[in-house]
Amino acid sequence: MVPHLITALTGPINELEQRILESMPAIERWFRLEWMEHTPPFYSSVDLRNAGFKLAPVDTNLFPGGFNNLTPAMLPLAVQAAMAAIEKICPEAKNLLLVPENRARTNSFYLSNIATLVRVFSQAGLNVRLGTLDQAVTEPTQLDLPDGSHLTLEPLLRNRGRLGLKDFDPCTILVNNDLSAGIPRVLEHLHEQYLLPPLHAGWTLRRKHQHFRAYEEVAKKFSKLMGMDPWLINPGFTHLDGLDLADGSSMDALQTQADAMLTKVRRKYKEYGIQEKPFVAIKPDAGTGGKSIVMVRDAKDLPEKIAALGPDAQAALSEVIVQEGVPTYERVHDAMAEPVVYMMDRYVVGGFYRVHADRGSDESLKAPGSSFVPLAFAESSQLPRFGEKPGVSAPNRFYMYGVIARLAMLAASYELEATDPDAEVYE
């Protein structure tokens, strides 16, 4: 299934899809060479937006939830990718400790995500147990799943430099908690254990502008390979910090940056003959799960839109990125949709469309009321089909989405290398 693209401006993206399909051997070789130099994140998910005239990532998650929204057909791919990832890190691995978010006890959808991860890593040949950071859990606690099965959540035990559970000493610890509430001391200074992702991937330390700066570099390299304008796959952005939006000077600075970004986008729209009114997205520089995002087409509207957020949401905007808005013109069942691609190690394992019937093309779909249409991005029967018209074949469209998502994943590896507090810096 290829969602209906509700715009006549499909030319540039169809041309890009055709170019990517024709260049598939060169693209895959380019990725192979990049992965020889850089280590991919253990797992990741990327939100894409397809405007018909532009296809770009707008968010990259290094602690992805939502594995339960993927089609069951992705399971063999995910198991193979998990095996490859674990073999590189700890070939003799036997035990895997999975640390979920604290909401695991109260959110059945999130718990289904954890159950899917347990299934993947169990089938990859690991003993998997769940250890929680929630201090309210003081003994093994059974959690019932909607399908009638259950998981057991156990309190973490720290023994000097190692972290585990009672009678369970893992080689690898996989965190599925974005650490936005801070870095727990129990996860720090572990010895002879692999912590994935690293602590500096969490939102306590990570910032979106660092990721999109790395993505800009990756997009330029890839575009040079393809002989294309990097703007077609790269959302422009700028970064501001130290803001107090109750203060007039901070609001002025934000409006100035928003207006400058809108001006840049108008020039590109004019260059490509795009009859659209551009918009920008104001986002917290640290992740907030889709909250506190403001979209504006005119910088003059910012004070009113930010005032409508409320004081808590406004406080999250002390550090922001001002990002070029990429509209979505894909629809599933007459509702706006955006593809989300899931990866493990350097492999695409699946994805889904995030769908929202009450949101417009220039709004975030990551909001209450969204639903998910699962897709298998790669199956033995769904390899790219050469010779078909662009925009018609699901495998071809999904291959293109997988390429752009892998560019964002590569950018995340650049980002993590650049921000690693333990990395040696050479002059």
Side-chain angles (χ1 to χ4, degrees):
M1 179 190 70
V2 175
H4 180 47
L5 193 59
I6 55 162
T7 174
L9 295 167
T10 56
I13 288 303
N14 281 349
E15 290 167 17
L16 177 62
E17 181 180 317
Q18 188 68 43
R19 189 174 298 188
I20 283 176
L21 289 170
E22 291 171 352
S23 305
M24 183 178 174
I27 289 170
E28 295 306 322
R29 178 178 182 273
W30 183 82
F31 273 121
R32 283 197 304 274
L33 294 175
E34 286 289 332
W35 295 130
M36 288 174 68
E37 300 291 332
H38 306 282
T39 302
F42 188 81
Y43 56 5
S44 56
S45 67
V46 176
D47 296 357
L48 301 175
R49 303 272 285 199
N50 187 352
F53 54 83
K54 183 176 182 122
L55 171 65
V58 294
D59 196 23
T60 300
N61 189 350
L62 300 181
F63 298 85
F67 278 91
N68 54 304
N69 294 318
L70 305 185
T71 173
M74 71 91 200
L75 194 63
L77 291 166
V79 170
Q80 288 180 328
M83 285 178 174
I86 292 293
E87 283 170 8
K88 284 195 302 189
I89 295 160
C90 184
E92 70 279 8
K94 181 173 68 173
N95 296 332
L96 176 77
L97 174 61
L98 180 54
V99 181
E101 292 185 5
N102 290 351
R103 61 178 171 139
R105 287 198 300 155
T106 57
N107 187 311
S108 61
F109 294 106
Y110 177 72
L111 193 60
S112 295
N113 159 67
I114 293 299
T116 303
L117 286 173
V118 169
R119 186 179 175 195
V120 166
F121 290 107
S122 296
Q123 293 194 15
L126 295 166
N127 300 316
V128 185
R129 285 167 66 176
L130 305 180
T132 181
L133 295 164
D134 187 350
Q135 295 185 353
V137 177
T138 57
E139 59 184 24
T141 302
Q142 181 174 302
L143 303 176
D144 297 324
L145 290 158
D147 64 1
S149 61
H150 67 269
L151 296 171
T152 300
L153 203 59
E154 301 178 64
L156 291 169
L157 292 177
R158 178 74 182 245
N159 183 13
R160 296 183 181 177
R162 294 186 71 84
L163 183 65
L165 307 173
K166 185 178 180 182
D167 302 322
F168 189 75
D169 185 30
C171 155
T172 304
I173 299 158
L174 180 62
V175 181
N176 196 246
N177 179 317
D178 66 12
L179 306 179
S180 54
I183 297 175
R185 291 185 64 185
V186 74
L187 296 180
E188 294 183 316
H189 309 301
L190 296 175
H191 299 299
E192 298 178 356
Q193 286 180 302
Y194 296 94
L195 182 70
L196 303 168
L199 293 177
H200 69 284
W203 285 122
T204 304
L205 300 174
R206 187 182 179 219
R207 294 295 179 265
K208 290 185 178 181
H209 79 270
Q210 294 165 335
H211 174 74
F212 284 105
R213 184 185 298 148
Y215 181 78
E216 186 173 52
E217 180 183 351
V218 168
K220 285 178 179 177
K221 286 185 178 181
F222 181 77
S223 297
K224 185 177 180 180
L225 172 76
M226 298 292 290
M228 57 178 267
D229 181 354
W231 179 78
L232 294 172
I233 58 171
N234 181 35
F237 78 97
T238 189
H239 160 241
L240 285 169
D241 58 18
L243 296 177
D244 177 1
L245 294 178
D247 176 64
S249 60
S250 286
M251 183 63 75
D252 289 345
L254 184 57
Q255 286 179 292
T256 298
Q257 291 299 327
D259 195 50
M261 182 59 63
L262 286 166
T263 299
K264 286 181 183 178
V265 179
R266 281 189 204 101
R267 286 198 202 107
K268 294 303 290 189
Y269 279 17
K270 185 176 181 181
E271 178 184 338
Y272 281 91
I274 297 165
Q275 303 298 316
E276 289 271 338
K277 189 173 181 181
F279 67 98
V280 294
I282 315 295
K283 302 179 180 180
D285 204 14
T288 57
K291 298 175 184 176
S292 302
I293 296 176
V294 175
M295 312 283 203
V296 291
R297 295 185 183 273
D298 190 324
K300 293 176 182 175
D301 298 334
L302 265 175
E304 181 182 349
K305 291 222 172 187
I306 287 173
L309 289 176
D312 290 342
Q314 288 177 31
L317 294 173
S318 60
E319 296 179 72
V320 302
I321 63 166
V322 179
Q323 189 176 52
E324 173 189 349
V326 182
T328 177
Y329 283 115
E330 292 190 273
R331 282 184 180 259
V332 172
H333 308 310
D334 294 324
M336 288 297 175
E338 63 185 11
V340 185
V341 182
Y342 276 64
M343 290 157 290
M344 196 169 288
D345 194 63
R346 59 193 177 107
Y347 305 102
V348 174
V349 297
F352 55 78
Y353 276 94
R354 182 183 288 117
V355 180
H356 205 302
D358 299 324
R359 290 290 174 115
S361 64
D362 60 349
E363 295 182 284
S364 172
L365 305 188
K366 195 180 286 186
S370 61
S371 58
F372 308 96
V373 177
L375 298 162
F377 272 60
E379 296 178 55
S380 58
S381 62
Q382 290 217 348
L383 293 172
R385 297 170 185 167
F386 298 101
E388 294 195 2
K389 289 182 179 181
V392 173
S393 165
N396 289 357
R397 173 64 57 82
F398 299 156
Y399 176 72
M400 179 174 68
Y401 287 166
V403 167
I404 303 303
R406 282 185 287 163
L407 293 177
M409 174 173 60
L410 179 58
S413 71
Y414 282 31
E415 169 200 356
L416 292 177
E417 289 166 11
T419 57
D420 185 352
D422 297 322
E424 293 186 29
V425 178
Y426 298 95
E427 294 296 334

